[in-house]
Amino acid sequence: MKKVIAVLLMASMCMATLMGCGANGGGKQEVYVYNWGEYIDPEVLNQFEEETGIKVIYDEFETNEIMYPKVEAGAAVYDVVCPSDYMISKMIENDLLQKINFDNIPNAKANIGAQYYETAKEYDPTNEYSVPYCWGTVGILYNKTMVDEPIDSWSVLWDEKYKDNILMQDSVRDAFMVALKLNGNSMNSLDEAELNAAKDLLIEQKPLVQAYVIDQVRDKMIGDEAAIGVIYSGEAIYTQRENENLEYVIPKEGTNVWIDSWVIPKNAKNVECAEKFIDFMCRDDIALKNFEYITYSTPNDAAKALIEDEDIRNSEIAFPDLTKYNNLETYVYLGEDGDALYNELWKEVKSK
Amino acid sequence: MNKKILSAPYLLWSVVFIIIPLLMVFYYGLTDKSGAFTLENILAIATVEHSKALWLAIKLSIESTIICLILAYPLSMILAKLNVNQHSFIVFIFILPMWMNFLLRTLAWQTLLEKTGVINSILKTIGLPGINIINTSGAIILGMVYNFLPFMVLPIYNSLSKIDKNVINAARDLGANGFQTFLKIMLPLSTPGIISGITMVFVPALTTFVISTLLGGSKILLIGNVIEQEFTQTGNWHLGSGLSIVLMIFIIVNMLITAITDKDGEGTML
């Protein structure tokens, strides 16, 4: 008797869990989206739901590295994800993505500039797996009231004058990118001597750094908490709106040009809805809405043409003329051993 | 039999949410990427970065446990002396902040302590020099003490309030002065509370990674941070689990000490 009840109890609990997963089978359409934090105009999601009747289940991540294990482990099944360049090549290499049928996403080819697909070949050689969503550079944001000299080099982040006034990015690749570029090396270097030199540079810098942060660079710079910060170009326009003393520069030693793109994971359940979602995101009026809300540069040329404010349309921060800068690179996936080496060195920096 | 049926849901709960995850930690901790048995993940604690992070975590959590004890004991004595109406009000005030999310309270400290934060702005307006402890180990200790102090106060207060007033009166009758009464009567009788308080502060302080990230500016790497990074950033669950097992050993040692000193099982939490 005792056992029977226990078994029944177990069975009913299992049923409950199973039913919870399977409920989306009948009738209502859904799309599971996994995107960067604060990387979309929430109004756009509502509009998508109204126009298509597809319900959006929306989750956010803070770094590519946090996103990857979740998609890999299949703990949560997403239909659309928005990783960056090097992470896309890692996902292609590890067979986590499916090819996108561009016939179902007409806006992708019509509205997005051809040069972005050209750049995308660095991580998606055949342009079959990803649709560019946002792009930009990484640079230095500084407060004109706290910095007198003109800034044009990463070396300012090693200037004793700004001790406790420097904000660094708390992510492996971005931190090493700064040090590698300052040493004149490639930011995709796998040369141990170069990487050790970069590590030593970062250790040397540590006493000057106020904090290692990611999204908080924005709020801290707006709040006059620090004089100099390493930041993504998309945040720069927003911070300038909030604090007019801030200025953004692309350092002369070169930097990272990145592209975040929509991809469809291999295990996606609602591919059709995913295609509709990506197509919707590529519509010019929607891309414009997103640009105005998140201020990250859009690769959507049709949307750019719709921007009314001429200053923004010609802004060097939002749409820099990349031919003017040297040594711009895009991250590539370094392979498992390369990743492990970077992580090892970064841990050494952080524990000093 | 009835009792057993009633306990089934709890049994199921502890199997699904405690035993199985624990087994998974051990599985990951004792295997490498190919699934073969290895002790490497556990021995990895000996590397310079890991042992330094562990040592720093132990040091900071011992310091904050001592500070908590020094602050909590006198407070508990005052609480225990008050009459029922007064003390329940003060205990209530003490528990009130715990109704708010722990993360939010720690974030609030960040805003308070920042260079341009609330405390420094006030100090500046009244012409005093500012304090600069944000992003230092001092700020981490402050965060730990603030967050875990109630866990020290409540068990000590509980064991003190259980002491029979007649025992204390008897001591005084027999000629013990205030200090002797404290040393010979109150302190020994409240030891279970102290031990339980120490465990409840030390263990979460040892494993925290949120406080050190938020108040230490990610500049101070504690063992909790290393483990968190292995799971979220590096994606090496094996190493993360191996280091967790090492951390578990320290916690078990701490609990054994508790169990030995607290033979009567009086060290109840609340």
Side-chain angles (χ1 to χ4, degrees):
Chain A
M1 179 63 199
K2 180 168 63 184
K3 271 192 185 157
V4 173
I5 290 175
V7 167
L8 280 177
L9 210 67
M10 288 272 271
S12 65
M13 283 181 103
C14 291
M15 283 289 278
T17 17
L18 281 177
M19 302 241 297
C21 301
N24 62 356
K28 197 149 192 189
Q29 286 183 303
E30 292 177 329
V31 62
Y32 287 76
V33 180
Y34 198 26
N35 193 5
W36 293 83
E38 296 187 49
Y39 215 39
I40 204 163
D41 181 350
E43 190 47 47
V44 163
L45 293 178
N46 292 338
Q47 200 179 332
F48 177 74
E49 291 190 339
E50 273 169 30
E51 286 187 20
T52 60
I54 299 170
K55 192 169 152 43
V56 180
I57 293 107
Y58 189 80
D59 281 341
E60 298 181 340
F61 57 86
E62 202 181 16
T63 66
N64 282 303
E65 285 73 18
I66 290 177
M67 174 278 302
Y68 182 82
K70 287 208 193 171
V71 173
E72 187 195 28
V77 177
Y78 293 103
D79 302 311
V80 184
V81 187
C82 185
S84 308
D85 30 59
Y86 68 102
M87 197 45 81
I88 294 177
S89 60
K90 181 176 180 178
M91 294 172 93
I92 293 174
E93 202 160 305
N94 291 330
D95 201 21
L96 293 175
L97 301 183
Q98 56 175 282
K99 289 187 181 168
I100 293 174
N101 184 354
F102 280 85
D103 294 341
N104 296 338
I105 309 178
N107 287 330
K109 288 284 184 213
N111 291 344
I112 293 185
Q115 72 269 35
Y116 301 104
Y117 284 107
E118 202 50 47
T119 315
K121 281 186 180 164
E122 285 195 44
Y123 55 86
D124 179 7
T126 52
N127 283 144
E128 285 175 302
Y129 291 95
S130 60
V131 179
Y133 174 54
C134 288
W135 69 283
T137 54
V138 177
I140 297 173
L141 189 71
Y142 64 95
N143 192 317
K144 284 183 281 187
T145 59
M146 300 186 211
V147 177
D148 312 322
E149 63 212 298
I151 285 183
D152 65 347
S153 161
W154 291 118
S155 63
V156 73
L157 299 171
W158 274 262
D159 192 331
E160 297 271 349
K161 257 192 301 188
Y162 302 115
K163 187 175 188 323
D164 268 343
N165 256 327
I166 296 170
L167 295 173
M168 272 296 275
Q169 280 286 323
D170 190 13
S171 73
V172 195
R173 294 296 299 264
D174 289 330
F176 271 86
M177 182 276 289
V178 172
L180 285 166
K181 282 287 178 197
L182 185 57
N183 279 339
N185 302 319
S186 159
M187 64 188 200
N188 293 313
S189 171
L190 280 171
D191 182 289
E192 284 208 28
E194 286 178 10
L195 287 172
N196 272 311
K199 179 198 81 183
D200 292 340
L201 210 53
L202 289 171
I203 290 175
E204 185 194 318
Q205 181 202 28
K206 200 176 171 190
L208 308 179
V209 174
Q210 184 190 90
Y212 294 93
V213 281
I214 303 175
D215 289 345
Q216 285 179 332
V217 178
R218 188 172 82 177
D219 297 335
K220 284 185 191 273
M221 290 301 295
I222 292 172
D224 289 338
E225 187 64 19
I228 307 170
V230 177
I231 202 168
Y232 289 92
S233 54
E235 305 281 6
I237 300 172
Y238 175 82
T239 54
Q240 282 177 327
R241 251 188 228 161
E242 301 286 317
N243 183 341
E244 55 184 20
N245 293 323
L246 298 176
E247 195 64 65
Y248 177 82
V249 291
I250 298 176
K252 61 180 182 214
E253 291 91 354
T255 188
N256 166 24
V257 177
W258 49 267
I259 300 184
D260 292 340
S261 307
W262 296 115
V263 297
I264 305 181
K266 195 139 227 174
N267 57 2
K269 285 203 181 106
N270 312 299
V271 178
E272 204 180 307
C273 298
E275 285 166 345
K276 278 191 191 146
F277 183 81
I278 297 176
D279 194 48
F280 189 76
M281 288 297 142
C282 293
R283 232 169 73 181
D284 49 5
D285 58 323
I286 299 301
L288 178 68
K289 256 191 178 173
N290 276 330
F291 170 75
E292 281 174 349
Y293 187 84
I294 64 175
T295 64
Y296 273 80
S297 319
T298 175
N300 198 313
D301 284 347
K304 187 185 164 191
L306 292 178
I307 298 173
E308 279 174 15
D309 187 340
E310 205 165 306
D311 287 346
I312 297 273
R313 199 168 355 115
N314 299 321
S315 156
E316 265 299 298
I317 301 173
F319 303 102
D321 177 8
L322 296 180
T323 53
K324 283 204 312 201
Y325 301 93
N326 298 319
N327 300 320
L328 298 179
E329 280 182 274
T330 300
Y331 287 129
V332 297
Y333 172 48
L334 303 164
E336 218 166 275
D337 294 341
D339 272 354
L341 181 60
Y342 270 75
N343 284 322
E344 195 53 46
L345 295 172
W346 180 231
K347 210 191 275 178
E348 278 181 47
V349 174
K350 292 294 282 293
S351 79
K352 268 287 176 308
Chain B
M1 168 169 164
N2 254 335
K3 268 191 190 161
K4 282 198 177 158
I5 292 174
L6 283 175
S7 73
Y10 304 103
L11 201 68
L12 191 72
W13 175 274
S14 51
V15 167
V16 172
F17 294 108
I18 299 172
I19 311 283
I20 293 177
L22 213 54
L23 288 177
M24 280 170 73
V25 169
F26 274 91
Y27 169 74
Y28 275 107
L30 295 171
T31 54
D32 60 15
K33 282 211 168 88
S34 63
F37 176 80
T38 176
L39 283 175
E40 218 172 88
N41 299 318
I42 292 179
L43 298 177
I45 191 68
T47 61
V48 187
E49 298 88 45
H50 296 158
S51 52
K52 192 182 166 199
L54 176 64
W55 166 239
L56 205 59
I58 293 176
K59 186 172 154 250
L60 293 187
S61 42
I62 288 179
E63 282 172 9
S64 41
T65 310
I66 292 172
I67 297 174
C68 276
L69 185 59
I70 292 171
L71 291 176
Y73 205 92
L75 180 70
S76 313
M77 281 172 69
I78 296 167
L79 281 179
K81 278 211 184 99
L82 296 173
N83 69 43
V84 179
N85 286 328
Q86 286 169 319
H87 86 214
S88 47
F89 177 68
I90 292 180
V91 170
F92 172 73
I93 285 189
F94 227 77
I95 296 177
L96 198 62
M98 291 172 74
W99 290 3
M100 212 183 300
N101 183 286
F102 152 82
L103 211 61
L104 281 179
R105 282 181 287 141
T106 312
L107 264 174
W109 270 110
Q110 196 181 31
T111 322
L112 286 174
L113 292 175
E114 270 179 348
K115 268 202 289 187
T116 53
V118 178
I119 292 179
N120 276 333
S121 309
I122 294 172
L123 286 175
K124 215 168 153 191
T125 348
I126 55 173
L128 289 171
I131 49 162
N132 198 4
I133 69 161
I134 187 79
N135 305 329
T136 64
S137 46
I140 298 179
I141 292 181
L142 177 73
M144 288 178 174
V145 169
Y146 171 77
N147 276 310
F148 304 135
L149 188 61
F151 298 114
M152 184 67 94
V153 172
L154 294 175
I156 295 180
Y157 159 72
N158 203 35
S159 62
L160 279 176
S161 63
K162 272 197 286 186
I163 297 173
D164 192 342
K165 289 277 178 304
N166 292 326
V167 179
I168 292 166
N169 289 336
R172 299 306 290 268
D173 267 1
L174 294 169
N177 62 27
F179 183 67
Q180 284 171 319
T181 321
F182 170 75
L183 209 63
K184 299 254 164 115
I185 307 293
M186 293 182 55
L187 201 56
L189 285 176
S190 62
T191 310
I194 294 173
I195 300 283
S196 148
I198 288 175
T199 314
M200 294 192 53
V201 173
F202 181 75
V203 172
L206 184 65
T207 51
T208 185
F209 61 87
V210 175
I211 297 176
S212 48
T213 303
L214 289 179
L215 299 178
S218 266
K219 284 169 79 182
I220 295 154
L221 202 66
L222 302 184
I223 192 71
N225 296 89
V226 175
I227 295 172
E228 187 245 359
Q229 296 274 316
E230 289 303 331
F231 280 97
T232 59
Q233 302 284 336
T234 318
N236 188 348
W237 291 21
H238 301 275
L239 183 55
S241 304
L243 295 175
S244 305
I245 294 174
V246 175
L247 206 51
M248 263 185 242
I249 296 171
F250 277 87
I251 293 167
I252 290 170
V253 168
N254 181 298
M255 290 189 150
L256 279 179
I257 298 174
T258 316
I260 292 165
T261 38
D262 179 25
K263 288 184 218 91
D264 311 326
E266 275 188 41
T268 40
M269 240 174 65
L270 292 168

